[in-house]
Amino acid sequence: MHDVPKPVGPEECTMPDSLISAAEFHRSPGVDAWRVTDTGPQATFMATSLAQAASLVPHVVAAADAHGVLPDVDVRPEAVVVRVPNRADDGIRPGAGPFAKAVSDAAASLGLRADPARNQHIGIYVAQHSEADVRPFFMAALGYEPLWDTDAVDPLRCGPPLAFNPLTVDKPARGRSHFDVFVPADQVQARVEAAIAAGGRLVDDSRAPDWWTLASPDNHGVDIAAWPDARD
């Protein structure tokens, strides 16, 4: 359906000595609420009020200081989402496991219910003519910063990252984009089935269960991926 190169899959990754894989993270004690997307581990804890959600923040800060991680925290009246972003490293810091356990323990003590099905991360892939470079335009329009040679990111990691890739079959002056939706490995099949039931079309499942390529009724592309959560 599209000609955008895929992210590095689990069979192609090797972890530096200072980092751990998703599989190693999942073997850490007390991380049942957590899943790994392409940007790192995350957990979602449901709340009944903004005050209850915010009550977890001091515990996140304390755990971060204790275990040497730099988490992102998104506090809403419905939930608090805690992430351990990779921060340009292709792997997870060893302290992420003990940090995740400490946060989960604190959330349980505060009455915050973990909902792993809510964990996800979305990336947007922009396909472009081989002679065009649209990254400067999108960075200027969105206030993003460059990442590596082909990507752009929100400096505060609130918006989805963008990747810019040339089309194999060039069509000048015609852009094309698709979404990558990273979900937990134990949720991906249900997400694929729901998208198809909602009018989507299966385009390619040759890389399942790492990812499925779907198309909307009017042929917009969505890849639903679980490979980061199952990476050895």
Side-chain angles (χ1 to χ4, degrees):
M1 181 191 70
H2 53 75
D3 304 297
V4 178
K6 300 310 303 174
V8 177
E11 72 281 0
E12 299 160 341
C13 289
T14 57
M15 292 294 108
D17 292 340
S18 60
L19 303 174
I20 63 174
S21 68
E24 291 172 306
F25 172 80
H26 283 308
R27 287 195 290 269
S28 301
V31 301
D32 293 347
W34 294 72
R35 301 294 185 270
V36 179
T37 70
D38 64 321
T39 59
Q42 67 172 272
T44 302
F45 301 98
M46 306 307 295
T48 58
S49 68
L50 181 61
Q52 187 192 27
S55 69
L56 183 62
V57 174
H59 299 276
V60 173
V61 174
D65 289 342
H67 299 291
V69 301
L70 293 174
D72 290 338
V73 185
D74 185 349
V75 178
R76 306 292 177 95
E78 301 86 358
V80 54
V81 181
V82 185
R83 300 180 179 90
V84 185
N86 288 344
R87 298 183 183 275
D89 291 318
D90 188 21
I92 303 167
R93 295 292 179 185
F99 165 81
K101 181 182 185 304
V103 172
S104 292
D105 290 346
S109 71
L110 296 168
L112 293 161
R113 177 180 59 83
D115 188 353
R118 301 269 185 173
N119 296 326
Q120 70 172 17
H121 182 258
I122 297 173
I124 300 175
Y125 283 66
V126 180
Q128 60 188 1
H129 186 265
S130 62
E131 296 179 2
D133 181 8
V134 302
R135 186 168 71 150
F137 165 79
F138 279 97
M139 286 193 297
L142 300 178
Y144 275 29
E145 296 178 347
L147 176 67
W148 304 308
D149 294 330
T150 60
D151 296 359
V153 292
D154 180 343
L156 293 180
R157 298 170 303 283
C158 294
L162 303 179
F164 300 88
N165 304 107
L167 289 165
T168 301
V169 180
D170 279 345
K171 292 183 179 180
R174 182 181 179 185
R176 184 173 61 179
S177 304
H178 79 272
F179 293 88
D180 274 13
V181 183
F182 295 89
V183 301
D186 58 2
Q187 301 294 325
V188 66
Q189 187 68 52
R191 185 70 65 92
V192 169
E193 292 173 357
I196 292 174
R201 174 173 56 87
L202 178 64
V203 175
D204 183 12
D205 62 356
S206 63
R207 297 302 299 269
D210 291 338
W211 72 79
W212 286 256
T213 297
L214 308 179
S216 70
D218 54 350
N219 213 39
H220 291 291
V222 176
D223 285 1
I224 300 180
W227 65 263
D229 194 35
R231 186 167 59 185
D232 291 327

